[in-house]
Amino acid sequence: MQLKSIKSALISVYYKTNLEPIIKLLQANQVKIYSTGGTQRFIESLGVAVTPVEDITGFPEILGGRVKTLQPQIFGGILYRRDHVGDNEQVATHDIPPIDLVIVDLYPFEETVASNAEEQEIIEKIDIGGISLIRAAAKNFNDVLIVSSRDQYEETAEILKNNQGSTTLQDRRRFASYAFDVSSHYDTAIFNWFNHKEDLLRFKQSEQQAHVLRYGENPHQQGIFYGNLDALFDKLNGKELSYNNLLDVDAAVALIDEFEDTTYAILKHNNACGVATAITPKEAYLQSLAADPVSAFGGVIITNKPVDIDTAQELHKLFFEVLIAPSFNEDAFNLLVEKKNRILLRRKPVDFAKNQFKTLLNGVIFQDKDLKTETANDLKTVTVKTPSTLEIEGLLFANKLVKHAKSNTIILAKGTQLYAAGVGQTSRVDALKQAIEKAVSFGFDLNGAVMASDAFFPFPDCVEIAHQAGITAVIQPGGSIKDQDSINYCDSHGLAMVTTGTRHFKH
């Protein structure tokens, strides 16, 4: 393992936290340090000798700090190849000092955007010199170590300490790879900010964190989650989340965010098999479980309220994979963790993106998320009979669920309790028959229940079947050229129907 000694370093960083140990190690190994502005003042405050960059360049920092290091004397010192005769002759001719270590972090562009800052402040956080230094040093990793993030300060200190101020080619190459990840991510963030305003019809996405999963959707498939789960949840108990767990967790979070009142939802294979809103958490859970206690086995459960001991005692009777909640009362938590593999996730407040994408064929398909949630003001009564107050409550509840179920889908509900869902069927009639069969099998009386459909009825067959099962009110988008056929059937048999004008397909 061949070591290359660091004799000089250029340090220009935005964040100084945890930088001191590196400075002290460089001092101990008699490394000449160059720096600029605030970083220079920080190093001087530690009592360490530092040479201002302008002593090399012969040119002061200008334009309010926009131009500091963009000089051939700096980039020549970084980029010249130490084993190249011509390069060595040129740096000697122009009196360019070598730079063996570059420590740079970038202006906090993403943080500034997230703070809802004014446009000019955001523009000023587009780093120019820093990103150029990172790319230059990474390109010449054969001779130069690039530290491109404060996340690498601790490891850098360890390398300097263990190797007495020297580096290996393996370390330099690895740090260079990380540097190009930093620079590409930074450029992606800048582009996406501009693209949001200009809509250039380009797609770029960058995630810098990865979590290797046990496997993908099936054991023979590799699975990786790219993103920061720790920003979304505190994992309080249980085994590692699987690929399929994550799919269900994603669906569960999207569904529960439709509700403000106390609600429990149970999901299996991305679809809700039980959902209920009630006065108490225990009631909400038991009512959601009643919709399909068979499918609930091994499912993912989510609530929008703290888990109390009364509910936990009921939850504890069921085998489930994941429970997600904003918090857990201490006694409830102590009970639930008795099952060591049971995954308990405490949600954190996070704003999610308003769009979504996935790979498709040889590209990516992108769309706005379906964020439309209908209210009573969106309902248009199209039948002679107007739905009752209780029916409207049930229709709006069922319509929230239909939006989050795989098409074709039919939801049957009464009040704020899911009775049954028919999901993922190639025929809307089949979806309805599936829902009716499930509801009856679990002992629900459908007389007075309501039906929601994710799309319009091309024929009156669905309302006829629903009516025969006891359904009294229907909600659907409308828009079929044969809407009137279904409306006429409802009028002839005393059903109420409302349309929303919004389809909720989910594939």
Side-chain angles (χ1 to χ4, degrees):
M1 181 177 65
Q2 186 175 2
L3 294 172
K4 186 178 285 288
S5 177
I6 297 173
K7 296 182 172 61
S8 59
L10 171 62
I11 307 174
S12 180
V13 298
Y14 188 88
Y15 297 104
K16 281 67 172 186
T17 304
N18 297 324
L19 184 63
E20 181 177 351
I22 296 176
I23 302 299
K24 294 293 188 180
L25 284 164
L26 293 176
Q27 180 189 39
N29 286 282
Q30 299 180 330
V31 175
K32 186 174 183 62
I33 300 175
Y34 302 101
S35 191
T36 64
T39 308
Q40 177 188 331
R41 291 189 291 273
F42 173 77
I43 295 171
E44 289 171 340
S45 74
L46 300 176
V48 176
V50 57
T51 300
V53 163
E54 48 263 39
D55 285 4
I56 305 174
T57 65
F59 204 89
E61 179 181 309
I62 62 171
L63 306 180
R66 281 189 166 198
V67 179
K68 301 176 185 176
T69 58
L70 294 169
Q71 302 284 349
Q73 291 89 342
I74 298 297
F75 283 85
I78 295 170
L79 283 165
Y80 90 87
R81 293 157 290 187
R82 275 54 166 180
D83 59 355
H84 191 281
V85 175
D87 284 5
N88 278 279
E89 290 174 350
Q90 289 185 48
V91 297
T93 299
H94 297 286
D95 195 23
I96 296 174
I99 297 174
D100 306 313
L101 167 65
V102 176
I103 303 177
V104 179
D105 64 5
L106 300 172
Y107 290 160
F109 178 82
E110 289 180 281
E111 293 90 334
T112 306
V113 171
S115 71
N116 296 315
E118 295 295 326
E119 178 172 297
Q120 190 54 44
E121 184 179 352
I122 292 172
I123 297 279
E124 290 305 318
K125 289 299 187 291
I126 297 176
D127 205 311
I128 304 301
I131 203 82
S132 302
L133 290 169
I134 287 173
R135 290 178 64 84
K139 178 177 180 176
N140 200 24
F141 67 86
N142 194 58
D143 298 302
V144 179
L145 177 69
I146 173 61
V147 179
S148 54
S149 168
R150 55 181 167 165
D151 295 337
Q152 294 178 301
Y153 288 176
E154 184 176 346
E155 184 180 2
T156 301
E158 283 296 313
I159 289 172
L160 294 174
K161 180 180 178 181
N162 294 337
N163 296 332
Q164 291 78 49
S166 298
T167 63
T168 67
L169 178 60
Q170 181 181 6
D171 285 334
R172 295 193 300 275
R173 180 187 288 273
R174 182 163 51 84
F175 273 51
S177 297
Y178 187 89
F180 282 117
D181 172 54
V182 168
S183 66
S184 65
H185 179 82
Y186 195 76
D187 284 341
T188 295
I190 295 169
F191 167 78
N192 283 334
W193 180 74
F194 275 99
N195 194 41
H196 177 71
K197 294 174 177 292
E198 303 298 334
D199 195 14
L200 301 178
L201 296 180
R202 301 289 189 273
F203 177 81
K204 298 182 189 298
Q205 181 72 15
S206 175
E207 293 292 345
Q208 291 188 293
Q209 296 193 41
H211 183 77
V212 178
L213 306 173
R214 296 196 303 274
Y215 49 80
E217 201 161 7
N218 299 290
H220 63 278
Q221 296 169 266
Q222 182 182 9
I224 303 172
F225 174 80
Y226 291 99
N228 184 8
L229 283 175
D230 292 337
L232 305 178
F233 308 105
D234 290 319
K235 182 171 171 290
L236 305 178
N237 188 69
K239 59 186 179 181
E240 291 300 311
L241 286 161
S242 70
Y243 183 97
N244 292 328
N245 287 156
L246 288 170
L247 291 176
D248 283 332
V249 167
D250 178 66
V253 168
L255 174 59
I256 203 69
D257 284 349
E258 296 280 355
F259 300 95
E260 294 182 2
D261 294 333
T262 302
T263 301
Y264 265 81
I266 307 171
L267 289 90
K268 199 76 170 285
H269 297 296
N270 306 158
N271 292 300
C273 55
V275 186
T277 298
I279 295 175
T280 69
K282 180 180 176 180
E283 288 177 300
Y285 167 66
L286 290 176
Q287 289 178 23
S288 66
L289 179 64
D292 189 347
V294 175
S295 295
F297 183 86
V300 168
I301 304 175
I302 190 165
T303 182
N304 56 0
K305 301 298 179 184
V307 178
D308 58 25
I309 184 61
D310 289 342
T311 313
Q313 288 171 342
E314 297 297 332
L315 286 161
H316 196 54
K317 299 173 183 177
L318 177 72
F319 168 72
F320 58 86
E321 290 273 349
V322 185
L323 174 60
I324 310 163
S327 63
F328 297 81
N329 293 355
E330 184 177 358
D331 48 0
F333 176 78
N334 291 337
L335 174 63
L336 292 170
V337 297
E338 289 181 4
K339 300 292 178 69
K340 65 179 182 178
N341 287 331
R342 179 182 281 161
I343 301 170
L344 303 181
L345 300 178
R346 180 171 58 204
R347 283 192 70 181
K348 298 178 181 179
V350 173
D351 291 328
F352 290 102
K354 291 180 170 55
N355 46 57
Q356 57 191 170
F357 60 90
K358 64 179 180 179
T359 58
L360 188 73
L361 299 174
N362 63 343
V364 170
I365 194 168
F366 179 97
Q367 67 170 356
D368 296 331
K369 285 184 177 178
D370 184 358
L371 300 177
K372 172 68 173 176
T373 299
E374 284 74 25
T375 68
N377 293 331
D378 297 306
L379 306 185
K380 178 184 177 182
T381 302
V382 293
T383 50
V384 173
K385 182 181 178 183
T386 299
S388 67
T389 301
L390 180 61
E391 286 173 333
I392 289 175
E393 179 184 44
L395 292 169
L396 291 172
F397 174 82
N399 202 56
K400 289 179 180 178
L401 307 189
V402 86
K403 169 181 162 184
H404 293 275
K406 295 289 186 181
S407 299
N408 288 308
T409 183
I410 293 289
I411 298 292
L412 304 180
K414 183 179 285 188
T416 54
Q417 181 182 12
L418 170 65
Y419 274 14
V423 299
Q425 301 300 305
T426 54
S427 160
R428 196 161 304 283
V429 169
D430 287 344
L432 174 57
K433 289 180 177 178
Q434 180 191 60
I436 292 172
E437 182 181 349
K438 286 187 68 175
V440 171
S441 71
F442 291 119
F444 288 108
D445 180 2
L446 290 175
N447 287 297
V450 303
M451 174 175 73
S453 174
D454 59 340
F456 62 63
F457 300 115
F459 305 103
D461 46 6
C462 280
V463 291
E464 181 178 354
I465 296 169
H467 168 244
Q468 292 170 354
I471 301 298
T472 57
V474 178
I475 185 170
Q476 55 118 342
S480 169
I481 60 174
K482 293 187 176 182
D483 271 350
Q484 197 60 45
D485 292 350
S486 294
I487 295 170
N488 290 342
Y489 182 91
C490 289
D491 283 338
S492 299
H493 296 83
L495 277 72
M497 177 183 285
V498 298
T499 59
T500 64
T502 303
R503 188 181 73 185
H504 288 298
F505 270 166
K506 185 183 180 189
H507 293 100

